[in-house]
Amino acid sequence: MILGENIATSSMPRDWQFGPPDAAGPAMAQICDLGRLLFDLGGAVLLLLVVALAWVAIRFNVRVHPVPDRLQSNTLMLMSWTGACIVVLVVLAIPSLLVLSNATAAPRPDLTVTAIGRTGYWTYAYPEAGDFRFDSRRLHAKTAGDNKPPNMMAVDYPMVVPVNRTVEILATGADVVHFWSVPALGVGIDAIPGRINRTWFRASKPGIYYGLCAGACGADGAIVPVAVKVVGDAEYRAWLSWAIREYAEGGVADRFAAAP
């Protein structure tokens, strides 16, 4: 049911793409807005510096200005430059703090998934939606057949979550330190043995979103993919019924069915 479904992959890079992946949720949309602001401000400052340097080189070169001015300082220039730096820092600080606040102040989750990092693969547990768990391993091209998954990114069984629902991730490690991340969803968190770290995301459109364990976590540490499949409510319930029968011992009530 999960292996090899033809669903649009919304997070794969395109040819000649410049910048981060397309935002698939509000968290990533905020990060992309902040990135564009940083790029615009940085470009404006760079342009200003280049223009100033060119003006100084033309106005004060040795040919047109053979005798240098003996000017120690310019109070107005120093105050203007300091004020401009303060304005830039404030403009950058406000959206940065909003992004940080959004990442830490999680709303009430509709679904909780535990991501357990292991050397070479991830284990996903759904403690409140059937109390089952399964392993998610990298899907090799020979296993995939004609499905043509993204190179080094596809998995055999991705995490499945419903669209437009708040998903809480409880990340931990079973052996060494791992890092669970999905750039298109604007989410990333350390998975540390003996500790549970919390984060959340809310996907705004269906698709399969990919990431990698961004840590040196042993054998195959550089190619341990993360895949999150976002589906509609009806498809999620159908998958949940299948997963409970496939993985869990005995049925458990679906808390998602009662979510607003």
Side-chain angles (χ1 to χ4, degrees):
M1 181 173 181
I2 299 301
L3 188 63
E5 295 185 3
N6 294 322
I7 185 171
T9 56
S10 305
S11 65
M12 296 308 299
R14 303 180 299 272
D15 292 339
W16 302 102
Q17 179 178 349
F18 179 76
D22 296 335
M28 189 57 184
Q30 280 190 326
I31 294 174
C32 289
D33 291 341
L34 178 59
R36 282 189 290 268
L37 177 62
L38 288 170
F39 183 83
D40 293 342
L41 280 178
V45 171
L46 177 62
L47 180 61
L48 178 62
L49 292 177
V50 170
V51 171
L53 181 61
W55 179 77
V56 170
I58 295 173
R59 176 66 178 82
F60 296 100
N61 67 76
V62 68
R63 292 182 180 180
V64 300
H65 203 82
V67 180
D69 293 334
R70 296 184 178 180
L71 181 64
Q72 296 297 325
S73 64
N74 188 311
T75 304
L76 179 60
M77 181 179 294
L78 291 176
M79 293 180 62
S80 301
W81 181 252
T82 304
C85 291
I86 293 175
V87 170
V88 170
L89 290 177
V90 171
V91 170
L92 293 179
I94 294 175
S96 299
L97 291 175
L98 290 176
V99 170
L100 181 61
S101 175
N102 180 70
T104 56
R108 180 182 181 274
D110 299 313
L111 173 67
T112 298
V113 181
T114 302
I116 305 170
R118 303 179 187 275
T119 302
Y121 64 98
W122 290 91
T123 297
Y124 296 121
Y126 289 65
E128 299 176 353
D131 196 18
F132 62 89
R133 64 177 57 198
F134 60 89
D135 296 335
S136 178
R137 301 175 182 272
R138 181 162 61 94
L139 183 62
H140 296 272
K142 293 182 179 180
T143 306
D146 297 331
N147 293 308
K148 297 180 180 180
N151 185 35
M152 299 292 187
M153 299 293 285
V155 301
D156 50 2
Y157 295 99
M159 175 193 297
V160 180
V161 299
V163 69
N164 290 322
R165 300 284 180 163
T166 300
V167 181
E168 181 184 47
I169 299 296
L170 306 181
T172 188
D175 37 39
V176 296
V177 176
H178 302 267
F179 188 78
W180 191 90
S181 66
V182 182
L185 298 173
V187 63
I189 193 169
D190 288 313
I192 303 173
R195 178 175 178 177
I196 296 178
N197 290 331
R198 298 173 182 264
T199 188
W200 69 280
F201 67 88
R202 186 181 182 95
S204 57
K205 54 185 177 180
I208 299 181
Y209 304 100
Y210 295 101
L212 286 172
C213 176
C217 48
D220 289 336
I223 48 175
V224 181
V226 175
V228 176
K229 181 177 180 181
V230 181
V231 299
D233 291 354
E235 186 175 354
Y236 171 73
R237 289 191 175 91
W239 173 84
L240 192 61
S241 298
W242 172 86
I244 290 175
R245 295 193 304 269
E246 183 74 11
Y247 300 117
E249 296 180 0
V252 180
D254 177 12
R255 189 178 73 88
F256 174 79

